[in-house]
């Protein structure tokens, strides 16, 4: 993933509040993404990454290199083809050969060969057809050492004379034939090889845990997506190169093996070794293979046709932590079967939680692999958001069994066809099992706002990516654009075509292309046809594909201006313009094939109307007639992927209505109006007093959605103004605003799912801005745990309580949490403690914690960068942390530079508050000193310089206005 930040989910939930992501961990090529629990842990000034949070692609993969860099030594005849000419020079595979069937036999050795050095060995054969006469078999292979490579013609069984070598720059095994392979004939390539079983989270790798008997147990597991199947065995490792696979795995008692298909035999080989053979897979892409050798337990369930098991560490399964996933899986599977009208394609579905996993989860066909926080749930100690995280990720991965697995993108540039779909359908699947969670409303404050934040920057990209070739290009696509923006566009389409045409198009598309590959062209064609043949689709776009291409082939999105011709006029003119957050950015750069004009499905509603109207807006302006003196709202119910701006009078009418009867306006629109107003003000398209006034109705509206939206938007103000005179009136205003909500929700846990979320917002905000009763309560609850030894804090409030108690406490509180952290085995609870330790405001404790973070006997290396990020979001700790990181940069770069460390995540979080010339100079100095030691952080340093400049300008433009408005408000309280 090069220098790009990606995310996944260590404890994430897609609702931030509860859990916020920190930026992903990346280094060199290793990305381990990380998510951090932040219960809306808003400490004044400790506040939040809210709003700036990247999305938690739940199954973002990792690109890995062996962390040790140690590779089994290369055989004598394995020299590289000399130089970059020849058919191996292109990073894409030639189309001369088409794979048909593989037989892969792997033996992961779970006992070390020497200290921390483990290996696997195996054999693999692939049958292929020749489409074009060629002298070369070029097949992917990475970090494998070959002892035998043989080519035979299948019909005759004759071995063909050949020699082999590897071309490492493109991760190829190159077999050169003495005579050309003949068009139309089939051959088998058979290999015998060996590789390191490293703990590098990629390909076939090892993971470990400590069992209840305190023994260290090593297991083998896989993460192939996108380009690491080639690290387990030689394969044509591109998604369109589909084939069938026979998998065999070796293991010793009490270990057993799992793969995509059910096992058919287990035979005793010799001594302790056994070998399990699995049934032949359907035609599938190599990146969806999965192999596991472990000693786990499971719980099971079934749909009417398909067995569904949940595997985990024996201790976790015994504790019932797999039960929730077990209960919901068949319901979600059957819901999707009905929704897509296509049966689940495999005879079984296994889901397994492994101790070390880079992404949140991976949708391997028939054997989905998760990190523990995304599959296991302990109802006694985990929170509502931990539970939602499990439901959402399970729904996401199960959706991929159709979208991604049954049909796959022709190439990675169309990754959104997988991830956008799964990220949309995860809401539908979760809603099927948890209908009271208001998943469809939550979409607005999670994926929609997240996507629009990222896509409002000039550094964004079109959904269908350009110039995607290398593994690092591919890894960079697992981002907010593929996931969240993809989901937003699909949701917008669903809304204007209606459920019937939406489902009909999908069913036909799945049936037509099953076991094959697709691009957006086929998808849009099938939806276009479905729209044409489904009665009752109101006002479809003219030319479905062309209209939708404006959303996926250019970056960004529009703001629709909806303005009265004069304050008394009943004529409202609609125009669209590209929206960019930076007011000084050029609206026409970089160039777009559609010149930043979109075919906008524009919905609007005016006061007194009961249902909204849809019209299509492109580059021609449209004039509407509206009733005099009444408000109107564009993008009503927030299904559109665009912002709406109004004339000042209309903003006033809306604000009045919200203050005098907010219930009249749809709750999703209330959240959207707040986000639009704040972002429009940030882009200098609106005076800041308008969004600020718009927050006043939150004194009476207690719904989660508008609050969540407001807290996200205000987080940017807090970061900019945390050390300015405006912070005083801001915190007084916020305390006043949250007062009614805080009193309404109280500290007594319960109520609906979103009331539980909202209580965290209420308490987090009140305590964060220093509400004395709130802080006292948090401290008392924490100290009760500390003194009695029994933790009676309700799981939903743990992060908030821990964080505030530590922030307002001293070394006793911190030391207590540190001891708990070191010994905690529940992954979600451990993450809450880890986040809370970073809430301290005491300088010497911060300093000591910084030292602990770099000591891997205390903190696992893969967790270190997320702690630095948490500390950098803490207003009290950020200077010390930034100084420490700069001071220790050489050490960090050398030790963590080959491992799990997100330089880009650290740079993003540690500079996110920067808004002064002095900070800019520091940043420039850092770049000068460490230019050659930034690893994956190079692009982030450039972005940080750019956003610091923008922030400096923002403060010049807005600080005074905001200060004045807040001061006026506060003086009248
Ligand atoms: C791995 O290597 C050992 C020793 O050479 C051999 O006996 C075994 O068959 C190999 N395993 C596989 C799966 O090829
Ligand atoms: C076959 O190979 C030739 C020469 O490399 C190339 O020009 C042609 O496009 C190839 N055809 C196919 C079907 O790949
Ligand atoms: C090659 O394999 C394909 C697929 O199994 C088969 O249809 C074809 O007849 C084979 N060709 C030859 C020459 O055996
Ligand atoms: Zn996914």
């Amino acid at each position: 993933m090069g220098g790009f930040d990606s995310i996944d989910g260590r404890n994430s939930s897609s609702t931030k509040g509860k859990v916020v992501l920190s930026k992903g961990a990346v280094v060199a090529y290793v990305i381990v993404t990380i998510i951090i629990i932040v219960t809306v842990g808003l400490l004044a000034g400790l506040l939040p990454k809210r709003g700036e949070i990247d999305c938690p692609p739940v199954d973002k993969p990792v690109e890995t290199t062996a962390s040790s860099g140690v590779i089994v030594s290369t055989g004598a005849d394995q020299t590289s083809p000399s130089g970059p000419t020849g058919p191996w020079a292109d990073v894409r595979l030639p189309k001369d050969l088409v794979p048909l069937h593989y037989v892969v036999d792997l033996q992961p050795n779970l006992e070390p060969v020497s200290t921390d050095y483990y290996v696997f060995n195996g054999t693999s054969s692939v049958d292929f057809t020749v489409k074009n006469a060629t002298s070369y078999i070029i097949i992917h292979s990475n970090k494998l050492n070959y002892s035998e490579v043989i080519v035979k013609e299948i019909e005759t069984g004759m071995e063909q004379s050949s020699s082999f070598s590897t071309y490492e720059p493109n991760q190829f095994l190159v077999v050169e034939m003495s005579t050309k392979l003949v068009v139309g004939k089939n051959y088998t390539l058979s290999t015998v090889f060996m590789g390191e079983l490293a703990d590098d989270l990629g390909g076939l790798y090892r993971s470990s845990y400590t069992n209840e008997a305190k023994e260290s147990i090593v297991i083998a597991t896989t993460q192939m997506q996108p380009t690491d199947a080639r690290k387990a065995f030689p394969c044509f490792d591109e998604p369109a190169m589909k084939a069938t696979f026979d998998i065999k795995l070796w293991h010793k008692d009490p270990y057993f093996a799992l793969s995509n298909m059910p096992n058919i035999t287990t035979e005793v080989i010799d001594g302790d070794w056994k070998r399990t053979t699995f049934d032949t897979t359907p035609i599938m892409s190599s990146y969806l293979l999965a192999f596991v050798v472990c000693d786990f337990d499971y719980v099971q369930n079934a749909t009417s046709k398909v067995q569904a098991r949940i595997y985990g560490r024996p201790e976790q399964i015994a504790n019932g932590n797999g039960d929730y996933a077990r209960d919901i899986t068949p319901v979600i599977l059957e819901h999707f079967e009905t929704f897509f009208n296509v049966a689940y394609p495999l005879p079984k579905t296994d889901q397994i939680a492994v101790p070390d996993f880079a992404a949140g989860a991976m949708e391997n066909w028939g054997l989905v692999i998760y990190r523990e926080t995304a599959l296991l749930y302990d109802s006694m100690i985990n929170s509502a958001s931990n539970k939602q995280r499990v439901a959402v990720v399970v729904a996401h991965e199960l959706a991929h069994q159709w979208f991604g697995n049954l049909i796959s993108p022709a190439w990675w540039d169309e990754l959104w066809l997988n991830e956008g779909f799964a990220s949309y359908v995860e809401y539908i699947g979760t809603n099927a099992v948890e209908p009271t969670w208001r998943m469809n409303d939550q979409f607005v404050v999670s994926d929609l706002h997240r996507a629009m934040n990222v896509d409002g920057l000039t550094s964004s990209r079109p959904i269908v990516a350009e110039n995607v070739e290398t593994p690092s290009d591919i890894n960079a696509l697992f981002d907010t654009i593929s996931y969240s923006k993809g989901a937003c566009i699909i949701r917008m389409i669903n809304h204007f075509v209606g459920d019937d045409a939406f489902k009909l198009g999908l069913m036909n598309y799945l049936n037509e292309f099953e076991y094959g590959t697709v691009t957006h062209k086929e998808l849009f064609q099938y939806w276009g046809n479905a729209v044409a043949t489904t009665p009752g689709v109101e006002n479809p776009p003219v030319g479905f594909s062309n209209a939708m291409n404006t959303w996926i082939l250019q970056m960004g999105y529009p703001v629709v201006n909806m303005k009265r011709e004069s304050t008394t006029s009943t004529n409202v003119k609609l125009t669209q313009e590209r929206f960019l957050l930076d007011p000084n950015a050029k609206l026409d750069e970089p160039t777009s094939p559609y010149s930043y004009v979109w075919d906008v499905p524009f919905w609007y509603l005016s006061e007194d109307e009961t249902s909204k109207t849809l019209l299509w807006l492109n580059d021609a302006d449209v004039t509407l007639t509206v009733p005099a003196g009444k408000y109107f709202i564009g993008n009503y119910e927030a299904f559109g992927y665009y912002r709406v701006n109004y004339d000042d009078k209309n903003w006033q009418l809306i604000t009045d209505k919200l203050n005098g009867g907010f219930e009249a306006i749809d709750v999703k629109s209330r959240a959207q109006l707040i986000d639009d107003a704040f972002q429009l003000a940030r882009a200098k398209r609106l005076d800041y007093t308008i969004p600020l006034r718009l927050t006043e109705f939150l004194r009476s509206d207690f719904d989660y959605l508008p609050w969540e939206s407001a807290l996200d938007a205000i987080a940017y103000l807090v970061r900019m103004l945390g050390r300015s005179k405006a912070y005083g009136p801001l915190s007084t205003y916020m305390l006043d605003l949250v007062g009614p909500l805080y009193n309404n929700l109280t500290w007594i846990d319960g109520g609906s799912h979103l009331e539980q979320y909202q209580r965290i917002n209420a308490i987090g905000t009140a305590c964060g801005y220093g509400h004395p009763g709130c802080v006292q309560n948090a401290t008392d609850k924490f100290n009760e745990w500390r003194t009695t030894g029994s933790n009676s804090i309700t799981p939903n409030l743990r992060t908030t309580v821990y964080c505030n108690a530590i922030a307002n406490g001293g070394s006793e509180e911190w030391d207590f949490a540190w001891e708990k952290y070191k010994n905690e085995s529940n992954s979600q609870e451990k993450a809450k403690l880890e986040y809370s330790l970073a809430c301290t405001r005491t300088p010497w404790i911060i300093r000591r914690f910084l030292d602990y973070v770099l000591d891997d006997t205390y903190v696992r290396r893969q967790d270190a960068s997320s702690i630095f990020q948490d500390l950098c979001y803490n207003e009290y700790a950020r200077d010390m942390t930034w100084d420490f990181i700069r001071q220790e940069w050489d050490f960090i770069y050398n030790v963590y530079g080959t491992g799990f460390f997100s330089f880009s995540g650290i740079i993003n979080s540690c500079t996110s508050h920067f808004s002064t010339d002095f900070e800019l100079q520091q940043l420039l100095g850092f770049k000068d000193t460490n230019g050659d030691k930034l690893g994956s952080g190079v692009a982030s340093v450039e972005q940080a310089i750019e956003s610091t400049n923008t922030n400096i300008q923002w403060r010049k433009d807005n600080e005074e206005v905001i200060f004045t408005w807040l001061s006026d408000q506060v003086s009248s309280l």
Side-chain angles (χ1 to χ4, degrees):
M1 317 214 143
F4 127 95
D5 256 335
S6 59
I7 312 299
D8 81 294
R10 175 171 66 111
N11 297 307
S12 97
S13 97
S14 52
T15 51
K16 91 331 282 355
K18 328 340 45 80
V19 179
V20 169
L21 311 198
S22 73
K23 304 306 201 126
V26 180
V27 168
Y29 295 112
V30 180
I31 287 224
V32 173
T33 36
I34 297 187
I35 291 201
I36 298 196
I37 283 231
V38 166
T39 290
V40 183
L42 310 188
L43 291 184
L46 232 184
L47 288 170
K49 321 165 189 187
R50 292 175 153 276
E52 294 298 302
I53 297 151
D54 233 322
C55 111
V58 292
D59 50 14
K60 190 205 63 55
V62 261
E63 177 182 349
T64 40
T65 52
S67 54
S68 62
V70 178
I71 292 302
V72 190
S73 66
T74 303
D77 55 349
Q78 296 189 35
T79 51
S80 290
S82 53
T85 51
W88 51 81
D90 187 346
V91 65
R92 294 293 305 272
L93 291 175
K95 307 276 180 286
D96 303 333
L97 309 178
V98 175
L100 302 168
H101 179 67
Y102 293 79
V103 180
V104 180
D105 188 358
L106 293 174
Q107 183 176 358
N109 192 344
L110 302 182
E111 283 139 30
V113 176
S114 57
T115 309
D116 280 343
Y117 182 65
Y118 293 72
V119 298
F120 66 94
N121 67 313
T123 64
S124 167
S125 69
V126 54
D127 299 346
F128 57 88
T129 288
V130 179
K131 291 284 180 202
N132 202 358
T134 174
S135 298
Y136 296 98
I137 300 169
I138 296 178
I139 187 168
H140 284 112
S141 169
N142 187 18
K143 300 180 197 289
L144 297 176
N145 182 42
Y146 292 89
S147 52
E148 194 175 296
V149 174
I150 293 172
V151 183
K152 282 184 180 164
E153 194 204 319
I154 293 180
E155 215 175 11
T156 61
M158 294 281 289
E159 186 174 335
Q160 313 286 301
S161 164
S162 65
S163 62
F164 70 95
S165 55
T166 55
Y167 184 63
E168 281 167 19
N170 287 339
Q171 304 177 341
F172 288 147
L173 168 65
V174 179
V175 185
E176 184 172 0
M177 310 304 301
S178 303
T179 35
K180 282 194 171 185
L181 299 170
V182 179
V183 176
K185 289 199 169 177
N186 297 336
Y187 297 85
T188 304
L189 168 71
S190 303
T191 57
V192 178
F193 55 88
M194 187 171 188
E196 185 183 351
L197 187 68
D199 57 351
D200 58 2
L201 311 177
L204 178 62
Y205 69 93
R206 73 174 201 275
S207 168
S208 61
Y209 72 97
T210 306
N211 71 9
E212 280 188 309
K214 301 287 171 210
E215 298 156 336
S216 176
I217 303 289
V218 174
I219 69 164
T221 181
T222 51
Q223 170 62 29
M224 308 303 198
Q225 194 190 32
T227 57
D228 279 331
R230 64 190 67 168
K231 195 166 158 281
F233 66 99
C235 54
F236 296 94
D237 200 11
E238 293 191 0
M241 299 283 225
K242 294 192 174 190
T244 53
F245 296 83
D246 285 343
I247 304 298
K248 300 168 196 286
L249 293 172
W250 296 43
H251 48 92
K252 289 183 183 175
D253 284 339
Y255 293 75
F256 61 91
L258 295 171
S259 186
N260 306 77
M261 296 296 285
N263 65 35
I264 44 180
T265 56
T266 296
E267 60 201 298
V268 177
I269 301 282
D270 69 66
D272 303 333
W273 284 106
K274 293 181 174 177
R275 180 172 70 173
T276 295
T277 300
F278 298 90
D279 213 349
T280 306
T281 70
I283 297 171
M284 63 184 283
S285 309
S286 49
Y287 80 87
L288 291 167
L289 290 166
F291 318 137
V292 174
V293 174
C294 68
D295 66 342
F296 287 1
D297 283 341
Y298 63 85
V299 284
Q300 75 175 6
N301 201 341
T303 69
S304 55
K305 295 180 237 62
V306 179
Q307 169 193 294
R309 286 182 176 168
I310 310 297
Y311 286 86
R313 287 188 277 138
E315 169 192 354
Q316 295 278 322
I317 295 299
N319 193 38
N321 296 357
D323 295 0
Y324 181 62
R326 174 201 63 194
D327 293 345
I328 63 175
T329 294
V331 184
I332 294 174
L333 276 179
E334 288 186 334
H335 187 80
F336 285 159
E337 289 189 319
T338 311
F339 191 90
F340 307 141
N341 207 358
V342 174
Y344 176 78
L346 298 185
K348 62 103 174 167
T349 166
D350 288 332
Q351 297 172 89
I352 182 168
V354 298
D356 300 289
F357 198 69
M362 175 62 211
E363 69 263 21
N364 316 298
W365 216 1
L367 176 54
V368 185
I369 304 182
Y370 295 79
R371 62 171 54 197
E372 291 187 343
T373 49
L375 185 66
L376 305 178
Y377 166 71
D378 181 337
S379 60
M380 298 306 289
I381 64 172
N382 295 156
S383 63
S385 67
N386 294 145
K387 186 177 188 183
Q388 180 171 312
R389 171 74 178 160
V390 170
V392 166
V393 182
V394 167
H396 179 105
E397 303 310 327
L398 294 179
H400 276 311
Q401 307 302 305
W402 288 265
F403 293 98
N405 302 6
L406 184 59
I407 50 167
S408 311
W411 179 240
W412 295 108
D413 56 352
E414 299 262 12
L415 179 66
W416 80 289
L417 293 173
N418 284 4
E419 298 307 345
F421 249 104
S423 300
Y424 176 56
V425 173
E426 71 190 35
Y427 287 84
I428 294 171
T430 305
N431 188 57
V433 284
E434 301 287 359
T436 63
W437 286 2
R438 294 175 51 198
M439 292 307 298
N440 297 328
D441 289 352
Q442 288 192 49
F443 187 97
V444 174
V445 288
S446 48
D447 282 287
L448 180 64
H449 290 172
R450 180 188 302 141
M452 287 180 126
N453 267 333
V454 171
D455 206 20
L457 303 172
T458 45
S459 57
S460 189
R461 65 170 180 88
I463 284 187
V464 177
E466 289 150 3
N467 304 324
V468 178
E469 293 206 313
T470 65
S472 68
D473 296 342
I474 296 165
N475 276 281
L477 299 177
F478 290 81
D479 64 359
T480 306
I481 298 299
S482 292
Y483 284 77
S484 297
K485 183 177 181 180
C488 290
I489 301 306
I490 292 165
R491 174 173 173 266
M492 180 166 77
I493 291 171
N494 190 172
H495 197 60
F496 71 73
V497 305
D499 279 349
D500 291 348
F502 185 79
K503 289 193 221 174
L504 177 67
L506 287 184
M507 180 184 76
N508 290 338
Y509 162 85
L510 284 166
N511 283 328
E512 179 65 32
F513 300 105
E514 59 181 4
Y515 306 105
T517 60
V518 284
T519 70
H520 66 276
K521 294 193 182 88
E522 288 76 46
L523 177 63
F524 287 170
Q525 182 197 334
Y526 277 68
W527 265 333
N529 292 344
V531 166
T533 57
T534 305
V537 178
E538 282 171 39
N539 193 9
V542 181
F544 186 93
S545 297
N546 289 340
M548 291 306 107
N549 284 344
T550 64
W551 296 96
I552 63 166
L553 301 179
Q554 67 183 342
M555 69 165 85
Y557 56 88
V559 50
V560 176
N561 297 303
M562 210 180 173
K563 299 198 172 171
R564 282 183 179 77
E565 287 174 352
S566 70
T567 39
T568 52
S569 173
T570 56
N571 285 342
V572 171
K573 195 160 145 204
L574 303 187
T575 55
Q576 65 160 296
E577 250 183 306
R578 182 186 186 191
F579 177 83
L580 286 173
L581 270 175
D582 177 356
N584 299 317
K586 296 206 170 61
L587 291 181
D588 55 356
E589 286 181 5
T591 55
S592 156
Y594 297 93
S595 309
Y596 298 109
V597 176
W598 288 263
D599 278 5
V600 181
F602 189 73
W603 289 279
Y604 65 95
L605 178 89
S606 60
E607 194 169 359
D608 304 338
E609 281 178 336
T610 51
S611 66
K612 63 190 184 202
T613 306
L614 167 64
L615 64 78
W616 287 85
L617 183 69
N618 45 44
D619 51 357
D621 298 351
V622 171
T623 302
L624 301 174
T625 308
V626 297
K630 306 272 185 185
Y631 70 78
F632 43 85
I633 295 176
N635 193 16
Y636 195 70
E637 297 175 327
F639 284 96
Y641 188 70
Y642 48 84
R643 299 196 184 282
V644 187
N645 198 359
Y646 310 97
D647 54 81
D648 285 0
K649 175 172 177 193
N650 196 50
W651 279 116
Q652 185 60 53
L653 290 168
I654 291 171
T655 306
D656 291 347
K657 185 70 195 179
L658 287 170
N659 281 319
F662 62 84
E663 298 90 343
I665 296 175
D666 173 75
V667 69
K668 297 186 290 306
S669 282
R670 304 203 298 270
Q672 190 59 34
L673 285 162
I674 290 174
D675 194 60
D676 280 351
F678 272 100
Q679 306 313 334
L680 288 163
R682 189 167 157 188
K684 265 185 123 171
R685 290 173 179 272
L686 207 56
D687 192 279
Y688 253 105
T689 56
I690 289 175
L692 289 169
R693 257 189 273 137
L694 200 60
T695 60
E696 293 184 281
F697 78 101
L698 296 173
R699 285 198 184 82
S700 41
D701 186 353
F702 297 156
D703 195 277
Y704 170 75
L705 244 64
W707 267 96
E708 185 70 4
S709 184
L711 291 173
D712 263 350
I714 290 166
Y716 179 72
L717 270 54
V718 174
R719 274 203 311 282
M720 291 304 100
L721 304 176
R723 294 177 181 182
S724 94
K725 66 180 176 186
Y727 191 75
L730 175 64
S731 52
T732 310
Y733 179 74
M734 290 304 291
L735 274 177
D736 180 63
L737 198 63
V738 79
L741 177 72
Y742 176 75
N743 292 332
N744 178 275
L745 287 171
T746 76
W747 278 72
I748 299 163
D749 201 10
S752 70
H753 185 69
L754 287 191
E755 270 163 21
Q756 295 173 43
Y757 276 25
Q758 180 71 326
R759 181 171 293 105
I760 299 166
N761 276 340
I763 295 177
T765 305
C767 281
Y769 289 103
H771 182 294
C774 184
V775 171
Q776 191 60 51
N777 221 340
T779 305
D780 289 349
K781 285 186 188 303
F782 186 84
N783 283 332
E784 186 192 314
W785 177 28
R786 193 162 64 82
T787 50
T788 65
S790 110
N791 187 349
S792 61
I793 304 163
T794 173
N796 283 330
L797 296 179
R798 285 189 180 181
T799 308
T800 317
V801 168
Y802 299 173
C803 178
N804 282 288
I806 287 169
N808 294 287
S811 63
E812 280 161 354
E813 284 80 4
W814 198 94
D815 290 349
F816 176 75
W818 177 241
E819 286 308 311
K820 292 287 174 195
Y821 170 77
K822 286 193 290 187
N823 296 314
E824 182 57 58
S825 76
N826 180 282
S827 307
Q828 286 96 336
E829 180 69 10
K830 193 174 171 91
K832 289 171 191 174
L833 289 161
E834 181 180 297
Y835 171 75
S836 305
L837 288 167
C839 294
T840 179
R841 297 174 176 177
T842 309
W844 70 269
I845 296 176
I846 294 168
R847 173 60 216 216
R848 188 181 57 178
F849 190 27
L850 286 165
D851 287 330
Y852 288 169
V853 175
L854 289 187
D855 181 341
D856 63 10
T857 57
Y858 290 130
V859 173
R860 279 159 33 127
R861 286 193 181 181
Q862 65 186 39
D863 293 339
S865 66
S866 69
I867 299 179
F868 283 132
Q869 293 175 59
D870 291 338
L871 286 164
C872 274
Y873 282 112
N874 175 345
E875 188 70 58
Y876 295 82
R878 68 180 174 98
D879 301 309
M880 284 177 76
T881 306
W882 176 235
D883 288 350
F884 179 86
I885 288 171
R886 285 185 298 164
Q887 193 180 310
E888 300 294 331
W889 192 262
D890 286 351
F891 176 81
I892 292 173
Y893 187 77
N894 291 329
V895 175
Y896 291 80
T898 52
F900 315 95
F901 210 71
S902 172
F903 292 122
S904 49
I906 288 181
I907 289 160
N908 285 336
S909 46
C910 294
T911 63
S912 71
H913 301 65
F914 283 9
S915 58
T916 64
D917 282 319
F918 183 71
E919 287 162 330
L920 179 64
Q921 294 314 317
Q922 284 196 334
L923 191 54
L924 292 169
F926 173 72
K927 182 188 155 191
D928 281 350
T929 317
N930 298 299
D932 56 338
K933 285 174 291 187
L934 293 172
S936 57
V938 176
S940 309
V941 171
E942 293 305 326
Q943 283 163 11
I945 292 170
E946 192 185 327
S947 48
T948 304
N949 275 309
T950 313
N951 291 342
I952 292 170
Q953 187 62 41
W954 183 92
R955 288 188 66 175
K956 286 193 183 122
D957 294 342
N958 300 303
E959 186 166 339
E960 210 52 42
V961 178
I962 294 172
F963 173 72
T964 306
W965 188 87
L966 289 168
S967 303
D968 288 353
Q969 290 306 113
V970 168
S971 65
S972 63
L973 286 178

